[in-house]
Amino acid sequence: SQTIHQWPATLVQPVGSPLSLECTVEGTSNPNLYWYRQAAGRGLQLLFYSVGIGQISSEVPQNLSASRPQDRQFILSSKKLLLSDSGFYLCAWSATSDQETQYFGPGTRLLVL
Amino acid sequence: GENVEQHPSTLSVQEGDSAVIKCTYSDSASNYFPWYKQELGKGPQLIIDIRSNVGEKKDQRIAVTLNKTAKHFSLHITETQPEDSAVYFCAAGNYGQNFVFGPGTRLSVLP
């Protein structure tokens, strides 16, 4: 069966520091991968999605970036964090044969101070 | 682009009663409508979904109905239990395109 992992689970970072969040998927090949952000008590905002290695599409302009160095690895990064980057970051995957159904990871809670 | 609205934002029901959450969407091309349940501190979990060629789908105590003409779909939970307490999200999308999620409904089931 497929599983999706995210780490770290929680992170507290000072303003201006760099960020690297990692997501990996097991049990499937060539998945579509997604990064979402969820502000406290709010809905899900799609940040990036990827249909293959090195292929990244950005949904919203921001100081975050994403990379997909391997088929089942998706990384969310920032060179300098802002206070407004605080939130719950969720990675999701979907099978290329079924681009609709997305399955979410456990999330990373980021607090920027 | 697609826009999804969801109501109510909060819902409290007595244990054993039914709960209904409604969503509307704007893009008539959307043909896939999933519902997710998110417990505190966890990622959303898919609980049921429906495609536009189906008007209703049921899975034990959970059902979803879709009205494509009116562009709205609803989640129905019967015989609610305390473990149903969570935030529920609807979403709308089309094959090959990304979802748009509703803002969520916080459901509280009171014992």
Side-chain angles (χ1 to χ4, degrees):
Chain A
S1 63
Q2 300 86 5
T3 55
I4 179 169
H5 304 279
Q6 286 186 245
W7 64 89
T10 60
L11 189 61
V12 180
Q13 291 285 92
V15 170
S17 64
L19 173 74
S20 181
L21 303 181
E22 190 166 346
C23 170
T24 58
V25 181
E26 296 177 355
T28 187
S29 297
N30 195 30
N32 296 321
L33 297 172
Y34 309 83
W35 277 114
Y36 288 87
R37 176 168 58 201
Q38 186 176 31
R42 305 290 292 274
L44 299 163
Q45 180 187 34
L46 179 63
L47 302 176
F48 301 95
Y49 67 96
S50 171
V51 298
I53 295 175
Q55 301 178 62
I56 309 294
S57 297
S58 174
E59 288 293 296
V60 293
Q62 59 212 313
N63 71 321
L64 299 171
S65 62
S67 62
R68 185 169 176 174
Q70 299 180 40
D71 180 45
R72 291 169 287 178
Q73 183 185 32
F74 206 22
I75 296 173
L76 183 68
S77 304
S78 174
K79 293 182 179 179
K80 288 186 177 182
L81 283 169
L82 307 173
L83 286 174
S84 57
D85 291 326
S86 293
F88 193 44
Y89 287 83
L90 290 156
C91 181
W93 73 273
S94 67
T96 48
S97 61
D98 179 8
Q99 292 180 11
E100 299 155 332
T101 306
Q102 294 183 19
Y103 301 94
F104 286 85
T108 294
R109 187 163 302 283
L110 172 66
L111 180 60
V112 182
L113 301 175
Chain B
E2 177 65 276
N3 181 55
V4 178
E5 297 183 355
Q6 185 172 345
H7 299 280
S9 57
T10 59
L11 178 61
S12 293
V13 299
Q14 291 295 133
E15 183 177 357
D17 288 350
S18 296
V20 180
I21 303 170
K22 299 181 180 180
C23 288
T24 61
Y25 62 99
S26 61
D27 188 350
S28 57
S30 290
N31 59 9
Y32 178 63
F33 308 93
W35 284 90
Y36 289 85
K37 174 184 180 182
Q38 186 177 28
E39 298 178 343
L40 189 63
K42 297 183 179 180
Q45 298 297 309
L46 180 72
I47 55 171
I48 196 168
D49 56 13
I50 193 168
R51 300 177 192 274
S52 61
N53 58 345
V54 176
E56 182 175 358
K57 184 176 179 180
K58 190 173 182 180
D59 183 4
Q60 298 183 357
R61 296 186 296 109
I62 295 173
V64 56
T65 59
L66 171 65
N67 184 327
K68 281 219 74 178
T69 302
K71 289 190 282 189
H72 65 71
F73 55 112
S74 300
L75 177 71
H76 304 254
I77 306 175
T78 58
E79 301 173 17
T80 53
Q81 301 167 3
E83 51 264 39
D84 294 329
S85 296
V87 178
Y88 291 82
F89 292 97
C90 63
N94 194 4
Y95 184 83
Q97 299 177 359
N98 295 316
F99 292 161
V100 174
F101 284 84
T105 295
R106 183 172 299 278
L107 173 65
S108 299
V109 180
L110 308 174

